[in-house]
Amino acid sequence: MSDSALSVAPLEMDEVVVVPQCALRIPGDLALRRLVLPFMEEDGVLLVACADPGDVAALGTVERLAERPVRPEPAEPESLRRAILRIYGKNARRAPGPASVGSGATSSGATTSNDDFVRLVDEILTCAVLRRASDLHFEPAPDHVLVRLRVDGHLEETQRLTHAAWGGALGRIKVLARMDIAEKRLPQDGQITWQNESTGQRFSIRAATVPSRYGEKATLRFLGLHASSSTLSDLGMSEEHRRWFTDAVTRPHGLVLITGPTGSGKTSTIYAALRHIQADRSKSIITIEDPVECDLPGVTQIDVDGDRLTYAHALRSVLRHDPDVILIGEIRDPVSADIAVRAALTGHLVLSTLHTHDAAGAVTRLRDLGVEPYLLAATLHFAAAQRLVKRLCPRCRTPVPLDAASAHALRSPESAGRTVYSAEGCKYCAGQGTVGRFALFEMLPLSPVEVDAFMGGGSGGPPRGGLIADAWKKLEAGETTPAEVIRVFSAG
């Protein structure tokens, strides 16, 4: 790890990625009172951000509670205070750490209560939120239950529970999700509304359980955790792409489609578009989603369930409520495709998503769903495709020459030797070398002539701003790595 330059100046904690399993090893009141915050572990040593690195008594307490040797790291006091309040809440209080969580709430012969399991589940959910995880997995094995978080698209182990502790925690999850506690042999699913007591934030979580060989597996998905605050400036669009996109979503009518595989960030993009449209408070916006990912104040949001209320039924009803803008969570069948196109034809702006590999694929997909060519040519004026890649930490990224194998994988063998960047790892990114994710985009503004050409199987002209072109711009700017770009292209 290369951060000798970073050790000179105090850490700006607003920019530091704090590992929650480290922070929650000490009580919040201690962190706030003495301005100390464990933020990462390196070679078995706990790194502690301190306003006063000479506070031996506070560091000794941290070492005793964390059961780890500690190393003080000077931090700018006000940014450190903000980080502590962000993690523990304004009323910083006792926050038991992973020593209790990791071993579970019970051991052989120990006595537990429902409060233990409530606290255990709250601690695990808090860790997931602090890591900005999209999913939380509980995976039974013969002698433990593995807890893993999906962060930036990848699963990382966070702790292990005893089977006894998992039994109590699973019961708590089922209660929150309104599942049948006694049912252990059939899959179940439900929804949880959970409030982080420290910060007061509320989260909507989709829960699912399924029986497995060593016990019930549970998976929790945080709905709209990333989409809840995304704006167009957060997504990674270039100036040109943002100009094209804002022009498309501020037109009075027509069809705008966001495409890409599952997990490519389509929901964040489409919610950011709605926030941009909301700036014009004269618009009536209605969404039809399965499920509603996050609350948008001032927007009418409709949950469809696929049985009693389908996309098609909801769409027919929505058209009677005088909307200016309609969001359809996904065009998934011929009926919803036909209604969406006709809504765009009759003076509404319709936004939706499709599962296709590229922007041009939106045209052929709608053709396959039976949309008449003349209707599509008259309504579809914009399609975008996207993929998510990890963002390099700007403080420790390192320029390197592009190797020949990577250049070939990036479909540009002649680019071998060009300067790109690699992930190194430092205190600011918890040693990962990356901080969060952003999207690569392909933008395809469409005219009726181009739609006709695509519908007929022609090229319709080259896509403007394809994914690979955008990827090269981000590689040269040091925003991501060749390995990340290769990964998303090999995944399709």
Side-chain angles (χ1 to χ4, degrees), residues 16 23 62 88 116 149 156 158 181 223 277 336 387 404 420 434-435 442-443 469:
V16 171
V62 172
Y88 299 104
D116 293 321
L149 305 177
E156 60 180 44
T158 178
I181 298 177
L223 299 177
I277 295 168
S336 59
R387 301 290 191 279
V420 291
T434 58
V435 182
E442 173 191 9
M443 300 288 186

Side-chain angles (χ1 to χ4, degrees), residues 16 22 39 67 88 90 98 114 125 161 166 177 179 209 225 287 297 314 317 361 375 381 386 400 423 458 461:
V16 171
C22 295
F39 65 96
E67 300 178 333
Y88 299 104
K90 292 184 178 180
N114 286 334
L125 293 175
L161 303 177
W166 171 229
M179 297 179 186
T209 64
L225 185 61
T287 75
S317 176
L375 288 175
H381 66 250
Q386 65 180 82
V400 295

Side-chain angles (χ1 to χ4, degrees), residues 249-252 273-285 297-299 324-325 349:
V249 300
T250 51
R251 292 189 184 187
L274 290 182
R275 288 190 182 86
H276 183 81
I277 295 168
Q278 269 189 296
D280 179 359
R281 297 189 176 276
S282 66
K283 302 289 186 182
S284 170
I285 305 173
V299 174
D324 296 295
V325 180
L349 179 66

Side-chain angles (χ1 to χ4, degrees), residues 96-173:
S100 64
V101 178
S103 59
T106 69
S107 60
S108 179
T111 302
T112 60
S113 67
N114 286 334
D115 287 345
D116 293 321
F117 299 126
V118 169
R119 188 180 69 181
L120 173 59
V121 171
D122 282 348
E123 288 173 357
I124 294 172
L125 293 175
T126 298
C127 281
V129 168
L130 289 174
R131 284 293 286 132
R132 291 184 61 78
S134 59
D135 300 86
L136 173 58
H137 293 247
F138 298 90
E139 302 170 346
D143 55 357
H144 64 267
V145 175
L146 183 63
V147 183
R148 298 203 289 173
L149 305 177
R150 188 173 295 281
V151 179
D152 294 339
H154 295 272
L155 284 171
E156 60 180 44
E157 180 178 343
T158 178
Q159 59 209 64
R160 297 184 178 195
L161 303 177
T162 65
H163 278 279
W166 171 229
L170 177 59
R172 172 62 177 166
I173 290 169

Side-chain angles (χ1 to χ4, degrees), residues 240-484:
E240 184 179 41
H241 281 172
R242 194 187 309 181
R243 187 168 62 251
W244 288 347
F245 190 70
T246 53
D247 175 69
V249 300
T250 51
R251 292 189 184 187
H253 54 79
L255 180 61
V256 175
L257 295 175
I258 311 298
T259 74
T262 299
S264 59
K266 299 187 296 295
T267 299
S268 293
T269 299
I270 215 157
Y271 269 62
L274 290 182
R275 288 190 182 86
H276 183 81
I277 295 168
Q278 269 189 296
D280 179 359
R281 297 189 176 276
S282 66
K283 302 289 186 182
S284 170
I285 305 173
I286 300 179
T287 75
I288 305 167
E289 304 171 71
D290 179 20
V292 170
E293 293 277 344
C294 64
D295 291 333
L296 281 174
V299 174
T300 301
Q301 295 175 274
I302 300 170
D303 245 321
V304 299
D305 58 19
D307 296 321
R308 292 169 298 176
L309 181 61
T310 64
Y311 271 115
H313 292 148
L315 266 170
R316 291 191 183 97
S317 176
V318 159
L319 292 175
R320 303 187 188 104
H321 289 269
D322 188 31
D324 296 295
V325 180
I326 302 170
L327 164 63
I328 304 168
E330 181 186 352
I331 293 177
R332 54 177 59 174
D333 56 43
V335 175
S336 59
D338 182 66
I339 296 175
V341 168
R342 291 183 184 277
L345 190 66
T346 55
H348 305 88
L349 179 66
V350 179
L351 284 70
S352 191
T353 67
L354 276 175
H355 288 283
T356 65
H357 290 303
D358 54 25
V363 180
T364 53
R365 175 66 176 146
L366 289 175
R367 179 187 62 195
D368 293 342
L369 288 173
V371 176
E372 294 291 342
Y374 75 93
L375 288 175
L376 198 53
T379 55
L380 180 60
H381 66 250
F382 193 86
Q386 65 180 82
R387 301 290 191 279
L388 288 178
V389 292
K390 291 184 178 181
R391 186 187 299 276
L392 274 171
C393 173
R395 290 184 175 263
C396 63
R397 64 190 180 191
T398 302
V400 295
L402 181 66
D403 64 87
S406 295
H408 181 77
L410 290 167
R411 308 169 195 174
S412 181
E414 68 279 6
S415 297
R418 287 170 67 174
T419 298
V420 291
Y421 292 79
S422 67
E424 292 299 308
C426 66
K427 298 185 187 79
Y428 279 86
C429 59
Q432 299 298 308
T434 58
V435 182
R437 292 190 292 177
F438 68 96
L440 305 175
F441 286 98
E442 173 191 9
M443 300 288 186
L444 190 58
L446 288 162
S447 68
V449 172
E450 289 171 318
V451 174
D452 277 335
F454 279 122
M455 291 287 278
S459 66
R464 284 145 293 185
L467 282 166
I468 193 66
D470 196 36
W472 272 111
K473 291 177 184 177
K474 305 296 172 57
L475 286 171
E476 291 174 337
E479 295 181 42
T480 192
T481 66
E484 273 295 287

